[in-house]
Amino acid sequence: MTLPLVPYPLSVTEHDAPAFRLDDGVGITGDDTCAEHLRRALATVTGDALGHGEGIRLEIIAGGPAESATIEVSSAGVVVTGADAAGLFYGVHTLVQLVRRDAEGWSIPAVSISDRPRFSYRGVMLDVARHFFDVETVCGWIDRAAALKANHLHLHLSDDQGWRIALASRPALTEKAAATAIGHDDGGHYTADDYAHIVAHAASRHMTVVPELDMPGHTHAVGLAYPELVEHPVITDEVRAAAEEFGGGLPRTGVPYRGLAVGFSSLRISDPETDRFVREVFTDLAALTPGPYLHLGGDEALGTDPARFASFVARATEIITGLGKTPIAWHEAGAAAGLAAGTVGQYWGFVTPTDGMDATARRFVAGGGALILSPSDAVYLDMKPEPDFPLGLTWANGHTSVRRAYTWEPSSVIAGIAEEDILGVEAPLWTETVRTAADIDALAFPRLAAAAEAAWSPATGTCTERTWESFRTRVGAQGPRWRAQGIHFHASEEIPWA
């Protein structure tokens, strides 16, 4: 029987031997931090809290690959070993998935597991600009993603609808540009303390926060606070069509925007005041962010002259590099010849690239950077999972079924890109239609598990369990655990739920 593990480990050997039983008196020893994670996770699944006796040992033994772990289970006990703290943490989450119930109670099958990630960057994104989510909701999203071995949280902190983080150099951004969201919903923003809490919570789950301030497009909200820095909205047929389909009206200078249209806004490029603004906000953000990355956006600047766009993203990446951070930009920025060396590109085109998107993506690698793959018709969690689903959109080649979310191979998306040129995989969740934590769950699960396996597990075709039939069975076994954890997942008919 295939063990119900998601994402699937590098190597699994089942033993024809008695299981380890979680009887009274079983305890956890070793690393205190991971022991507490394991106690909480097991209590959620089994309803019982383990003590401090013998039985399960957690330890870190340096020397193996980063984030790697081994698990040995016999009737005599369980040993989880991590090459580092992150590896032990992920090993603990694998162990929790092994726990099962039979007529005699709870047990863990006799098994040997050796595991390590395929990619070093395994990300999720939450758009807190279209709709705002409080610190508790963001931390809940971190917990869910980390349990599936994601290690980066990309926060989309600014867009046409609102600016969501307080920065010392530009207080008007949150005073005048944070109160609204899409539709009739209220906005909000994170104080420096709020952001520090999110960063610390993420770090406790071995997750790095990647903040994004999107520019030069998606900047209508900036104009509410600093009108001298933005151009007037460019109203195209596409913007009018979006307003007609989704409401929110047409964007107007100086008026908060509550619609879904994109591509109409731009900073005033080549203005010295704009350069000063960019430098100040990224300087403040860098000071608040211990991780190595700052994301500058750079997507959908549809109303911006291409030459000016290229000039802007080149300067912005140099500013970020000068702050000691690595810039990340959406793949459109690859059109700029002068990007700072080492800039990372994030590809959001389709699994089969169109309109030269693959060419712009390859330029990041040519410039000494790498690629994060986020093909929108596979891992955009905001796409409807079914045509009539009440949440989500369908612009990425229609709805994205669980099967389509799973059956793609990262190494096959961009021709001419080697495995070592791929930094990793990220699953974005844009929030045009998402208003609550339950909405996040309904769109993310179970498809987040498919993205997690693409980011962590061996490549398609190299492992007998890296198949759709295996995955749908394994993810179906997560249903009871997800329910116990309070995850409001969508019970897709594609999955044989336990």
Side-chain angles (χ1 to χ4, degrees):
M1 182 181 76
T2 299
L3 293 175
L5 302 175
V6 180
Y8 201 75
L10 176 67
S11 172
V12 178
T13 302
E14 297 181 66
H15 303 303
D16 185 14
F20 175 77
R21 307 215 63 86
L22 292 171
D23 299 322
D24 291 342
V26 169
I28 306 170
T29 60
D31 183 87
D32 290 340
T33 300
C34 277
E36 186 57 34
H37 281 302
L38 181 56
R39 285 191 187 93
R40 287 199 301 265
L42 288 176
T44 299
V45 173
T46 68
D48 296 319
L50 297 186
H52 295 271
E54 299 295 325
I56 301 175
R57 176 158 184 80
L58 311 178
E59 55 188 11
I60 297 172
I61 300 178
E67 302 181 293
S68 65
T70 61
I71 301 174
E72 293 289 341
V73 182
S74 71
S75 60
V78 177
V79 178
V80 184
T81 303
D84 50 26
L88 185 59
F89 176 81
Y90 300 132
V92 160
H93 281 286
T94 300
L95 183 66
V96 171
Q97 291 183 346
L98 288 169
V99 175
R100 58 192 180 192
R101 185 170 188 131
D102 57 27
E104 299 176 41
W106 296 96
S107 66
I108 302 173
V111 66
S112 297
I113 293 175
S114 178
D115 203 9
R116 66 174 183 267
R118 179 182 180 187
F119 295 116
S120 63
Y121 186 110
R122 305 176 304 280
V124 292
M125 190 212 76
L126 184 62
D127 169 16
V128 297
R130 270 51 177 273
H131 280 100
F132 179 72
F133 298 91
D134 62 19
V135 171
E136 181 181 3
T137 300
V138 176
C139 289
W141 178 233
I142 289 169
D143 292 345
R144 285 152 163 71
L148 290 169
K149 302 179 182 169
N151 66 348
H152 287 80
L153 170 68
H154 173 182
L155 278 180
H156 184 75
L157 290 167
S158 70
D159 215 298
D160 294 312
Q161 294 82 2
W163 185 282
R164 305 302 185 201
I165 187 165
L167 299 176
S169 66
R170 297 284 175 161
L173 287 167
T174 48
E175 292 169 358
K176 299 181 179 181
T180 56
I182 280 179
H184 299 290
D185 290 339
D186 293 332
H189 72 274
Y190 305 116
T191 65
D193 286 344
D194 291 335
Y195 184 71
H197 184 96
I198 291 170
V199 168
H201 188 82
S204 74
R205 273 71 175 165
H206 301 280
M207 188 174 287
T208 299
V209 174
V210 181
E212 178 188 358
L213 300 177
D214 204 350
M215 54 184 73
H218 293 275
T219 45
H220 184 84
V222 174
L224 303 181
Y226 299 99
E228 69 278 9
L229 298 180
V230 300
E231 304 285 2
H232 293 294
V234 176
I235 307 301
T236 62
D237 290 342
E238 290 77 12
V239 172
R240 291 189 179 91
E244 290 176 7
E245 182 175 0
F246 300 109
L250 295 175
R252 292 183 293 155
T253 300
V255 178
Y257 181 63
R258 293 179 174 271
L260 274 69
V262 299
F264 58 83
S265 59
S266 179
L267 295 177
R268 286 185 176 161
I269 296 170
S270 300
D271 187 315
E273 284 303 305
T274 300
D275 286 349
R276 185 162 72 92
F277 171 81
V278 173
R279 185 175 298 279
E280 288 178 352
V281 295
F282 278 118
T283 297
D284 286 351
L285 191 60
L288 296 173
T289 304
Y293 302 111
L294 295 181
H295 204 306
L296 63 104
D299 62 317
E300 297 177 320
L302 306 180
T304 305
D305 173 76
R308 286 177 172 266
F309 170 81
S311 173
F312 176 87
V313 294
R315 288 201 305 279
T317 56
E318 289 291 352
I319 287 171
I320 292 171
T321 300
L323 294 169
K325 302 291 187 180
T326 298
I328 303 178
W330 297 104
H331 70 251
E332 292 99 316
L339 290 181
T343 298
V344 173
Q346 186 166 0
Y347 173 81
W348 63 267
F350 298 153
V351 168
T352 300
T354 59
D355 303 319
M357 292 180 178
D358 52 338
T360 56
R362 279 191 289 269
R363 289 179 189 143
F364 289 95
V365 175
L371 286 176
I372 299 167
L373 297 176
S374 299
S376 53
D377 54 348
V379 296
Y380 265 35
L381 301 174
D382 51 292
M383 293 297 106
K384 288 178 179 286
E386 298 163 359
D388 60 351
F389 200 70
L391 300 169
L393 302 172
T394 58
W395 58 262
N397 283 331
H399 75 283
T400 298
S401 66
V402 184
R403 182 167 189 162
R404 195 167 89 179
Y406 185 79
T407 53
W408 68 287
E409 166 51 42
S411 64
S412 300
V413 175
I414 308 293
I417 295 299
E419 179 94 358
E420 57 268 24
D421 298 326
I422 301 172
L423 185 62
V425 172
E426 179 179 293
L429 179 56
W430 303 97
T431 60
E432 288 93 340
T433 69
V434 179
R435 303 174 65 231
T436 67
D439 291 346
I440 293 173
D441 282 352
L443 281 173
F445 289 87
R447 294 179 300 174
L448 178 58
E453 192 143 305
W456 178 278
S457 300
T460 306
T462 64
C463 171
T464 57
E465 299 299 338
R466 277 286 275 124
T467 67
W468 164 243
E469 287 303 321
S470 171
F471 174 78
R472 66 190 291 268
T473 299
R474 289 183 284 112
V475 85
Q478 308 307 314
R481 296 185 184 90
W482 288 349
R483 291 187 190 97
Q485 293 164 4
I487 297 174
H488 302 278
F489 65 93
H490 169 53
S492 167
E493 293 183 359
E494 297 175 82
I495 304 300
W497 296 103

